[in-house]
Structures are given as structure tokens and as C-alpha cells.
């Protein structure tokens, strides 16, 4: 029990770091926007590199006092690489396809649509990606529980809790569907009104991911 609690505590810290990263990015974005300094350069330097460095230092503070960051020896790296390759080959392939899909739709729009529509879709995709942080947090929190499952009763209990949790999260996201239009028009202006229905559609994809995430994590206990 003590070992399980220790593992859960570590995953909670990882989830806290993800939330900290997102909150700091949002806060600095607002500060840059109100100060009139939100440019591509400031976004890359402050929101990209700066936030990453601060998040790294915050995560370093979460490490136990006896731990030190260092590279593993070569035999350990080879052993871990073989094990990771055998298990994660198809997960890696799926993620590569997902990245290509995200890039492909923007490229296709750029080829067959107007520049204004590309900008509207890019904004909608960016906002939907911010909402998708929920899925990454769910992945981090549910991973230790899913990895420890064994037996039909554990699987059934896990799926019931997962579906209930997903339903509650989706209820909390429901206001975003109705608030999308006033939010986008207020912060980005009428020129991006076309982003509203696109964001609402992409939000539906995020909701679908929230429901499928507990199912996908069964890949770990089922090997």
C-alpha cells in the first residue's frame, strides 16, 4: 500500500506540473497581450522557452532530496530502449500519424481554401488544443491505476469509474460550446467569427477523446 501511495503521489506531482505549465503560459500570454508586447518573438522566447525552463526548475524541486539528475549507464539505456521499443512501437506509430494528420489538414486548407479560413481554423485548432490539456492530465492521473489492473472485476470497476468521470468532465465543458462565440469575438475580433463553429466541432473531438482515454489505457495492463 505504501508503494502504491508513493507512486500515486509522484503522478499527482506530474499532473501538478502540467497544470502549472498551462496556467503560467496563460498568465504570461495575458500580460504580454495587455502590455502590447505579444509578438512571434516574445511568444517563442517567453511562452515557449521561458515557460519550459521555469517548469523544468519547478519539476526539479519535486524530486526527492536524495535524487540527482544524471544520465544512466550504457547497459541500462540499451535495456530500457529494447523494452520501450517492443512495447511502444505501435503507440509511437499512432502518434506520428496523429501529428501528420494535424499538419495535413492545415496544409490542405492552405492549398484549397482562403488565407482567412486558414487563420480561422488555426485559431480554432489552437483553442481546442488548450482544452485538450484535460486529456493529458487524465492520462497522467489514470496511468498508474490502469497499469495496476488485474482481473475482470478490476477492469469493470475501472471502466465504470472512467465513464462516469468522463461524463462529469464533459458536463463541465458544456458551457464552452455556448461561450465560444462571445469569447472569440471579444478577444480576437469579428474577423475570426468563422472560428466559432470550427472550435465547437473540434471541441466535440476533444469530448470523444475524453471518453476513449480510459479505454486506451487498458493497453498497459493487457500488454
Amino acid at each position: 500500500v505504501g508503494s502504491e501511495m508513493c507512486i500515486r503521489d509522484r503522478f499527482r506531482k506530474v499532473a501538478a506540473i502540467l497544470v502549472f505549465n498551462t496556467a503560467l503560459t496563460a498568465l504570461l500570454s495575458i500580460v504580454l497581450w495587455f502590455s502590447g508586447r505579444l509578438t512571434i518573438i516574445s511568444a517563442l522566447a517567453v511562452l515557449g522557452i521561458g515557460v519550459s525552463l521555469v517548469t523544468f526548475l519547478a519539476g526539479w524541486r519535486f524530486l526527492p532530496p536524495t535524487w540527482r539528475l544524471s544520465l544512466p549507464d550504457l547497459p541500462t539505456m540499451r535495456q530500457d530502449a529494447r523494452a520501450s521499443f517492443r512495447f511502444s512501437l505501435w503507440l509511437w506509430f499512432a502518434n506520428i500519424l496523429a501529428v501528420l494528420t494535424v499538419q495535413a489538414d492545415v496544409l490542405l486548407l492552405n492549398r484549397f481554401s482562403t488565407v482567412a479560413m486558414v487563420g480561422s481554423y488555426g485559431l480554432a485548432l489552437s483553442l481546442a488544443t488548450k482544452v485538450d490539456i484535460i486529456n493529458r492530465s487524465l492520462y497522467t492521473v489514470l496511468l498508474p491505476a490502469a497499469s495496476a489492473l488485474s482481473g475482470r472485476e478490476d477492469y469493470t470497476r475501472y471502466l465504470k469509474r472512467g465513464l462516469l468521470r468522463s461524463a462529469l468532465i464533459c458536463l463541465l465543458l458544456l458551457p464552452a460550446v455556448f461561450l465560444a462565440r462571445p469569447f472569440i469575438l471579444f478577444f480576437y475580433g469579428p474577423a475570426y467569427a468563422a472560428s466559432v463553429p470550427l472550435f465547437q466541432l473540434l471541441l466535440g473531438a476533444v469530448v470523444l477523446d475524453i471518453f476513449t482515454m480510459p479505454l486506451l489505457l487498458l493497453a498497459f495492463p493487457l500488454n
Side-chain angles (χ1 to χ4, degrees):
V1 176
S3 177
E4 182 179 353
M5 292 181 62
C6 181
I7 293 175
R8 289 182 177 179
D9 179 65
R10 291 175 184 173
F11 275 94
R12 288 192 190 99
K13 291 178 179 179
V14 173
I17 288 297
L18 291 175
V19 174
F20 172 77
N21 180 279
T22 304
L24 183 60
T25 302
L27 176 62
L28 292 178
S29 299
I30 294 174
V31 171
L32 290 174
W33 183 65
F34 276 108
S35 63
R37 298 179 181 275
L38 185 57
T39 63
I40 295 179
I41 301 300
S42 64
L44 290 175
V46 178
L47 305 182
I49 300 174
V51 172
S52 297
L53 291 175
V54 173
T55 304
F56 170 77
L57 294 176
W60 196 350
R61 298 282 296 179
F62 277 156
L63 291 176
T66 57
W67 285 22
R68 295 292 183 271
L69 293 179
S70 61
L71 292 175
D73 54 65
L74 190 58
T76 302
M77 293 179 63
R78 288 176 178 172
Q79 182 179 358
D80 288 346
R82 286 194 296 266
S84 298
F85 182 80
R86 286 195 303 268
F87 178 80
S88 61
L89 174 62
W90 291 109
L91 294 177
W92 170 81
F93 184 65
N95 286 329
I96 291 296
L97 291 180
V99 171
L100 291 177
T101 301
V102 172
Q103 299 300 323
D105 53 9
V106 176
L107 292 175
L108 287 174
L109 273 178
N110 190 52
R111 179 67 176 84
F112 297 106
S113 187
T114 62
V115 176
M117 180 56 66
V118 175
S120 298
Y121 179 78
L123 173 60
L125 184 62
S126 176
L127 294 176
T129 303
K130 300 300 184 294
V131 179
D132 196 52
I133 187 65
I134 297 174
N135 280 320
R136 284 185 277 172
S137 299
L138 277 177
Y139 181 91
T140 305
V141 173
L142 294 180
L143 181 58
S147 301
L149 294 176
S150 61
R152 181 181 295 272
E153 291 185 0
D154 284 351
Y155 290 126
T156 303
R157 189 182 307 108
Y158 166 81
L159 288 176
K160 288 181 178 179
R161 291 180 178 176
L163 292 176
L164 178 61
R165 185 186 297 107
S166 298
L168 292 175
I169 293 174
C170 291
L171 285 177
L172 294 176
L173 286 177
L174 187 61
V177 178
F178 304 100
L179 296 176
R181 177 172 293 277
F183 177 85
I184 290 176
L185 293 181
F186 178 79
F187 285 101
Y188 297 96
Y192 287 92
S195 298
V196 176
L198 296 174
F199 170 71
Q200 291 170 336
L201 288 173
L202 291 173
L203 191 61
V206 173
V207 168
L208 180 62
D209 286 341
I210 291 175
F211 274 99
T212 57
M213 178 61 69
L215 299 174
L216 294 176
L217 289 180
L218 290 179
F220 291 96
L222 295 176
N223 197 23

